[in-house]
Amino acid sequence: MQKTLILYTGGTLGMRRSASGYIPDADLQALLEQLLADAGNELPDYDFIALEQLLDSANMQPADWYRIAARIAHNADRYSGFVVLHGTDTMAYTAAALSFALQGFDRPVIVTGSQIPLREMRSDAHNNLIAALLLSADSSLAEVSLYFNGKLLRGNRATKVSAGSLDAFASPNYPLLGEVGIQVSLDRGALLVPATERNFQLPEFADGGVALLKLFPGISPFFIGKLLEYRPRGLVIEAYGTGNAPSQDPAFAQQLEQATQRGTICVAVSQCLESRVDLDKYAAGSALRDAGVIGGLDMTSEAAFTKLNHLLAMGLPESQVRKLMTTPLCGECTP
Ligand code: ASP
C-alpha cells in the first residue's frame, strides 16, 4: 500500500507571524488536513509527525540531521515514501546529510518547504507540498531529493540560490532529477541506480567537528591560524575558481600543512556555483594540494561539509575519510 510519512521539522512552510517575525507553529497538521481533504485518491495516504522541537532551520545542528534520519530509518518499512518539511535556509545541508545517513534506501525521501507560510494567501507551500507528496509515491525514486518550485533536485547537489524568489534552489553541477509542470516528468537517466541493500549510517555522536571557511581577498595566515587553534577535525575551504588560494605568502599553506599533520582533514570546494576543483591547474591551487588539502571535485559546499562531518562522526580512520571524500557515495560528486 502507498503511504507517505510527512515529517515536519519547522521552517517557513508552517510558520506564523509573531512580534519578533515569523516563528515555527506547531499547529500545522490541521491546516494540512484541510488543504488535502479534497485530494481523493490523487495523492497517497499519509501520516504526519512533527519533531518535538520545531526549528527555524537556521538553528539546525548536525545532531538534528540524524534525528530526522533516525525517524525515517525507524519507519523505513512502514511507509512507501517520506516527505520532510524543512526551512529553506539550511535545507540543502539537511538534504545532503540525509543522503549520507540513508545510503542505499530503496524509497523516495523528498525534502521540501516554502518561501511563504502555508497560512498566507500567496503561499508557495501548497504547490511544493502537493508535488512532494505525489513524488513520494513514485517508487523509481530511490534517493534523497529536494523539491522546490517545479524542480526536483538531488538532495546532495542542491544549494539555496535565492531568498527573494520562489525559485530558491539550484543544482549547479548535476541535472535536475525531474520537473513538475502540467506533467510530472522524471529524468530517469539522472536518478541514482537503486542499491541492492540498505546501508543506513546513523552515528550516535553526530557532530564531527567540521568548520567551513570562505577565502576572501586579504585573508591572513594569522586568521587561519586562529581558526585552526580550535583544532577542528575537518575543514572545508571555499576556495576561488578551480580551487585556488593565496600562494604568495608561504605562511598560508604552512598553516594548512601543519593542521593536516595534526590530523585536521582539509577539503577545498569552489566559491563558484558551477565548478569543479582541480588543484593541479594553477600554482595557487597546487600549494593547497602540497599542503595536504583534498580537492572536493564538483561537490557543493553543503555536500562537502555534511559528508566530511558524516565520515568523521562515523569514526572512520583518517586515511579512509580522505579516500571517501573523493569517492561518490550517493551521487554527490563526479569522480
Ligand atoms: N528561516 C527559515 C528557515 O530556514 C527560512 C525558510 O524556511 O524559508 O527555517
Side-chain angles (χ1 to χ4, degrees), residues 10-13 15 24 55-59 86-91 113-116 148 160:
T12 298
L13 187 138
M15 286 190 182
L55 293 174
D56 184 304
S57 76
N59 290 312
H86 195 286
T88 59
D89 286 343
T90 63
M91 187 183 286
S114 69
Q115 294 279 56
I116 305 175
F148 221 89
K160 183 174 179 180

Side-chain angles (χ1 to χ4, degrees), residues 10-30:
T12 298
L13 187 138
M15 286 190 182
R16 64 177 166 80
R17 291 175 196 268
S18 78
S20 52
Y22 285 133
I23 50 167
D25 188 354
D27 198 19
L28 181 66
Q29 191 172 1

Side-chain angles (χ1 to χ4, degrees), residues 268-301:
V269 294
S270 175
Q271 294 182 10
C272 299
L273 265 187
E274 292 174 10
S275 57
R276 182 179 176 85
V277 167
D278 176 1
L279 296 181
D280 295 321
K281 190 161 182 191
Y282 293 92
S286 60
L288 286 185
R289 185 205 54 214
D290 294 344
V293 175
I294 301 163
L297 304 169
D298 57 352
M299 270 188 288
T300 58
S301 179

Side-chain angles (χ1 to χ4, degrees), residues 16 22 36 83 118 140 159 180 257 268 275 294 332:
R16 64 177 166 80
Y22 285 133
L36 302 174
V83 170
L118 182 64
S140 58
T159 189
V180 178
E257 192 172 355
S275 57
I294 301 163
E332 73 281 8

